[in-house]
Amino acid sequence: KGYEAESFRGTRAQWLENEGRFPELVQFLAEWVERNPESETAYSQHLSALVRTGAEEKAFALMREWIGDAATNAAWGGGGRA
């Protein structure tokens, strides 16, 4: 079930990108990232979509946040994002 959902979301994201619907893509990927998927696909696509829509500062802020989250999780022995 998890694989199929990830695959469907990936296909949907690719379709939005192919159509050049970047604002919608950003929103879709933000919602996907909110689900905290194990795959790094949503995260990398989200950053890419932000850059393509001119939201580089938002992309850099998210990278800093995610790196901080990963470092905190590692320090406490927890798992982190892929």
Side-chain angles (χ1 to χ4, degrees):
K1 182 179 176 181
Y3 171 78
E4 285 117 4
E6 289 282 304
S7 180
F8 173 76
R9 288 185 186 96
T11 300
R12 172 85 170 137
Q14 187 65 48
W15 180 78
L16 289 169
E17 183 176 359
N18 290 343
E19 292 290 311
R21 296 167 61 178
F22 296 108
E24 288 176 66
L25 178 61
V26 167
Q27 181 62 37
F28 175 76
L29 292 168
E31 291 169 5
W32 187 4
V33 166
E34 292 269 330
R35 296 173 177 268
N36 197 23
E38 290 297 317
S39 167
E40 67 185 42
T41 302
Y43 303 101
S44 62
Q45 286 184 333
H46 189 205
L47 294 175
S48 178
L50 286 168
V51 169
R52 292 180 117 180
T53 57
E56 291 91 356
E57 288 302 316
K58 172 82 174 170
F60 287 124
L62 280 173
M63 282 190 284
R64 286 189 293 272
E65 177 186 331
W66 295 342
I67 290 169
D69 288 351
T72 299
N73 285 336
W76 286 98
R81 291 186 172 106

